[in-house]
Amino acid sequence: MFHEFLNAASTEGEQLRALSVMKLQLLLISLALLKAHARMSSEKIRRSANMPVNTPIPLIAEDHLIFGTIRIKNERFALPQLPSSYFMNGDNEFIRLRLMHANGFKIMPRETTSVVAFSGDWNSRASITGNTEPYQQVTNQRTHATYSDQTVNYQHDYDYTQTFRYTDDIIFAPLGHTKTNMLTTIDHLKKNEISLNNLRYNNRIKQYLPDGIYYMSEGPLRGAFFGCHSEITNGLLTPLNIADARTAYSSVHTGHTLITREAMVAFVNSLPQGFSNAPSLYQAVLLLGSKEQSFRVSQNGLLGPLMTVATNTNYFPENMFSSRDEQFNVVKSFINNFEA
């Protein structure tokens, strides 16, 4: 085609112009091919992130554990439950490990992630950006609170330094999109400590805390975070939940209450363990990162085929069982039987 195009030019000047046009056409074709290749590569990455990968998954390791999420009910961590774990490494590869859920046990890797902790009314149809912008910010605001309990002649003064953001609907803290961001932000959020009595005085007796984000430092909810805002939460301390997504503009998963990694591990290890190949229940969980794990399902007294535990695959959903207690016991036994 280009040869015919060049021969059609009769003069030297026309041939030079034709060569210039040819070069431009070749450049445009090259750019189009590069763009197509980039799109294909991006789609390949997204597809591979959703394809099952057999255990072991090295990212599931104690050094990479960032935080957990946990259900709260009646001023206690709800039972039965196995909290979710969130892992991230220095390359910012991310995994959400969901141990017990209506849809089942699942290992969910993601090539990138963005995480926000929030209290209030999250819009499930919007992205993280859609929920968090525009926002107002409170930075290093010093506040003071006094609690009195006349029944035991008790009074205590608290000083808080709050940094948080809020919209019309939520009070929130961006945890970030890197391992360093998240660990640093969580450590900062732990500075404003409260007790279970603080929560009760605030929510029952209406001795309201200043607007802000708080860390439960003792008692049965130790390690969990709460948000409080005079308008957004009506002055109540409410659980600070997690929202995570591949990017700030993509579809969002919202989870349960943010809990420190140490408190989450302690909760899991406080559960009755029974037989196990590991010294603790959470050490058994971490075997997913060090060795291939497999299992068989027995039905009507017959053993099914050997199945390797893999990412992006649901195991033991709630509808397989007659109750959550039964699901809990089966999933716990499944974990305890991981090979060391």
Side-chain angles (χ1 to χ4, degrees):
M1 179 183 71
F2 294 118
H3 179 71
E4 292 172 358
F5 178 66
L6 188 60
N7 286 340
S10 57
T11 68
E12 184 178 347
E14 288 175 340
Q15 287 186 345
L16 288 173
R17 284 193 295 275
L19 281 169
S20 297
V21 171
M22 285 167 55
K23 289 178 181 178
L24 179 60
Q25 288 175 327
L26 286 169
L27 177 61
L28 291 172
I29 290 169
S30 298
L31 287 172
L33 288 170
L34 284 171
K35 286 181 179 178
H37 182 266
R39 280 196 303 271
M40 289 172 65
S41 298
S42 177
E43 288 168 5
K44 185 178 178 181
I45 289 170
R46 283 196 291 272
R47 285 198 302 270
S48 64
N50 292 323
M51 290 176 64
V53 175
N54 287 347
T55 50
I57 309 298
L59 185 51
I60 300 176
E62 189 172 5
D63 288 346
H64 302 320
L65 180 60
I66 305 296
F67 60 85
T69 56
I70 196 164
R71 289 188 300 117
I72 292 175
K73 184 178 181 180
N74 298 330
E75 298 178 353
R76 296 287 189 275
F77 294 139
L79 288 172
Q81 74 165 312
L82 292 166
S84 294
S85 302
Y86 291 71
F87 298 87
M88 204 170 202
N89 62 16
D91 295 326
N92 303 319
E93 296 171 315
F94 178 84
I95 278 181
R96 175 161 58 97
L97 175 57
R98 193 182 70 196
L99 299 180
M100 180 180 170
H101 187 271
N103 294 323
F105 174 106
K106 191 175 185 181
I107 305 168
M108 289 168 282
R110 189 184 290 150
E111 65 271 22
T112 60
T113 200
S114 181
V115 183
V116 167
F118 73 95
S119 289
D121 187 13
W122 186 271
N123 181 356
S124 61
R125 296 185 298 277
S127 66
I128 286 178
T129 299
N131 274 281
T132 59
E133 292 184 4
Y135 63 84
Q136 302 293 319
Q137 180 151 329
V138 174
T139 303
N140 294 329
Q141 176 178 290
R142 292 189 62 81
T143 55
H144 181 81
T146 299
Y147 279 90
S148 300
D149 186 345
Q150 302 302 325
T151 61
V152 292
N153 194 26
Y154 167 80
Q155 181 170 312
H156 195 85
D157 294 332
Y158 294 89
D159 285 302
Y160 299 105
T161 302
Q162 286 289 358
T163 299
F164 61 90
R165 297 178 182 180
Y166 65 97
T167 66
D168 290 342
D169 300 306
I170 61 171
I171 176 172
F172 70 97
L175 297 192
H177 56 273
T178 70
K179 179 179 181 179
T180 302
N181 287 158
M182 293 184 196
L183 290 174
T184 301
T185 302
I186 290 169
D187 279 343
H188 179 76
L189 295 179
K190 288 169 65 176
K191 292 179 180 178
N192 288 316
E193 297 182 359
I194 56 171
S195 67
L196 185 61
N197 277 342
N198 294 151
L199 184 144
R200 287 170 173 167
Y201 293 159
N202 189 89
N203 290 2
R204 299 181 188 178
I205 306 174
K206 313 303 182 188
Q207 292 192 31
Y208 292 132
L209 282 165
D211 293 349
I213 292 172
Y214 296 91
Y215 169 69
M216 185 66 71
S217 61
E218 58 85 42
L221 293 174
R222 183 179 179 276
F225 293 84
F226 296 82
C228 179
H229 192 277
S230 58
E231 295 180 1
I232 295 166
T233 69
N234 295 317
L236 301 178
L237 279 162
T238 61
L240 194 74
N241 294 333
I242 285 296
D244 62 276
R246 189 172 60 84
T247 72
Y249 300 94
S250 51
S251 59
V252 180
H253 159 261
T254 53
H256 294 298
T257 304
L258 173 65
I259 183 172
T260 64
R261 53 186 177 178
E262 298 86 359
M264 188 268 296
V265 170
F267 172 81
V268 172
N269 287 339
S270 73
L271 300 169
Q273 186 177 10
F275 167 81
S276 180
N277 291 318
S280 70
L281 184 55
Y282 203 78
Q283 285 298 315
V285 170
L286 294 177
L287 292 173
L288 290 163
S290 60
K291 191 168 184 179
E292 180 179 285
Q293 304 299 338
S294 58
F295 68 102
R296 299 178 189 269
V297 175
S298 174
Q299 189 170 12
N300 298 326
L302 299 175
L303 279 177
L306 188 68
M307 293 186 286
T308 300
V309 180
T311 64
N312 296 308
T313 307
N314 289 311
Y315 302 99
F316 308 112
E318 194 175 275
N319 61 13
M320 282 183 62
F321 306 98
S322 59
S323 68
R324 284 185 60 83
D325 285 317
E326 185 183 6
Q327 182 192 27
F328 170 77
N329 288 325
V330 168
V331 173
K332 193 173 63 163
S333 176
F334 166 65
I335 294 167
N336 276 324
N337 279 281
F338 289 161
E339 290 188 38

